Amino acid sequence: MGRRGGMDAYDEGWRPPRGPDEPGAPDADARIGLGALSLRYQIAVSVALAVVAVAVCVHIGMVFLHVAPSNTLTKQHGRAIDDWIYPEFEQNWKLFAPNPLQQNIAVQVRAQVRSADGGIRTTGWYDLSAEDGRAIDGNLLPSHTQQNELRRAWDFFVSTHDTDNRAIGLRGSLSETYLRRIVSLRLDRENAAGKGGAVDLVQIRSRTTNVPPPAWSGEKVSDKPTYRVLPWWSAAPPDTADTADTAGKSGEAGTAAGGAK
């Protein structure tokens, strides 16, 4: 009797554990992650994750085929691979070349502006590369745009044009459009047209200077900059700019030569 009474005293508050399906069970209402969502939202999230996973796999595959040696897939689907890669995802391995670039190339632009009163004026040269450099200097996390957009656009243009600035192949017109849009946006950011004005024509040039060699090398290089001056382009999109381009190229040919001095 005493033993029984003692056990009742110790076990008075004890209850058997509840099953997972009983009301008030510890895990019944404590769902986390996808389990906390309704079935409709679970399906939506799963579909979104699947789409992202497929897009990532496709992108990695396209980049791999782009940098891989020529093979059956690249020969059959080369056009699709190029359309996916260029111009935003183009790969450049010059950093790992045996003799990397030893020049500083600055991309500059000026504009022909029509003011609010109908007057025409030509701005000075805007050094867009220097602006990007100032934005990167001291920035612990510079954006991809600040580091590569302008530089890669110029490399894209040079690789698709000859020394007379004539397009080589179908990608030449694409590179012109890409470069033109970038400089037009930069000029708009700089408010080059002024209040009430509009940019009619843009002209781009590159300024190339050799990187001085180390003193111990004994190598001699010129420290004088060289220029590559492009013709005047319309600031309008290419599909509406054919007439303006023709006028700009014929009317401003002499100005282009003078800008390279």
Side-chain angles (χ1 to χ4, degrees):
M1 295 291 292
R3 181 183 178 92
R4 180 180 178 86
M7 291 188 65
D8 289 343
Y10 281 109
D11 300 336
E12 183 178 358
W14 181 84
R15 294 289 186 274
R18 294 172 178 172
D21 297 330
E22 294 184 30
D27 298 331
D29 300 323
R31 298 176 181 177
I32 60 175
L34 289 177
L37 302 176
S38 64
L39 178 60
R40 181 176 60 180
Y41 286 107
Q42 289 181 23
I43 294 174
V45 171
S46 299
V47 171
L49 291 175
V51 170
V52 171
V54 171
V56 170
C57 291
V58 170
H59 178 69
I60 293 175
M62 288 292 191
V63 173
F64 173 78
L65 292 174
H66 174 66
V67 300
S70 179
N71 55 68
T72 303
L73 283 176
T74 56
K75 291 177 181 178
Q76 292 181 350
H77 306 289
R79 179 65 181 272
I81 295 172
D82 287 345
D83 290 342
W84 182 277
I85 294 296
Y86 294 107
E88 288 85 0
F89 304 119
E90 182 180 0
Q91 305 298 304
N92 188 314
W93 303 106
K94 290 181 180 179
L95 177 63
F96 306 100
N99 187 22
L101 292 177
Q102 299 179 358
Q103 295 175 323
N104 288 323
I105 302 176
V107 180
Q108 303 172 341
V109 64
R110 64 177 178 176
Q112 189 177 95
V113 176
R114 177 167 36 86
S115 60
D117 59 2
I120 301 294
R121 64 180 176 87
T122 301
T123 69
W125 290 101
Y126 290 87
D127 195 333
L128 305 183
S129 296
E131 293 176 2
D132 285 350
R134 287 191 293 269
I136 294 171
D137 189 23
N139 187 347
L140 296 179
L141 297 172
S143 69
H144 176 77
T145 300
Q146 292 170 330
Q147 297 179 82
N148 298 316
E149 181 186 56
L150 182 65
R151 179 179 62 84
R152 296 301 301 125
W154 180 253
D155 287 346
F156 185 26
F157 177 87
V158 172
S159 65
T160 56
H161 287 73
D162 60 20
T163 55
D164 294 324
N165 300 320
R166 292 177 299 195
I168 303 173
L170 299 177
R171 293 173 58 211
S173 59
L174 175 63
S175 67
E176 290 183 13
T177 301
Y178 187 48
L179 186 60
R180 183 186 316 197
R181 291 188 184 278
I182 289 175
V183 299
S184 296
L185 289 173
R186 297 289 186 93
L187 288 171
D188 183 65
R189 186 189 307 169
E190 295 289 337
N191 194 26
K195 185 176 181 180
V199 175
D200 288 336
L201 302 173
V202 295
Q203 187 178 38
I204 304 168
R205 75 177 183 182
S206 67
R207 182 180 187 271
T208 303
T209 54
N210 293 315
V211 176
W216 49 261
S217 69
E219 183 181 358
K220 302 295 183 181
V221 297
S222 174
D223 59 353
K224 294 182 178 179
T226 59
Y227 294 87
R228 178 171 179 170
V229 184
L230 306 187
W232 285 88
W233 290 341
S234 170
D239 54 353
T240 61
D242 294 340
T243 303
D245 274 346
T246 303
K249 292 176 182 178
S250 61
E252 300 294 337
T255 309
K261 295 181 180 179

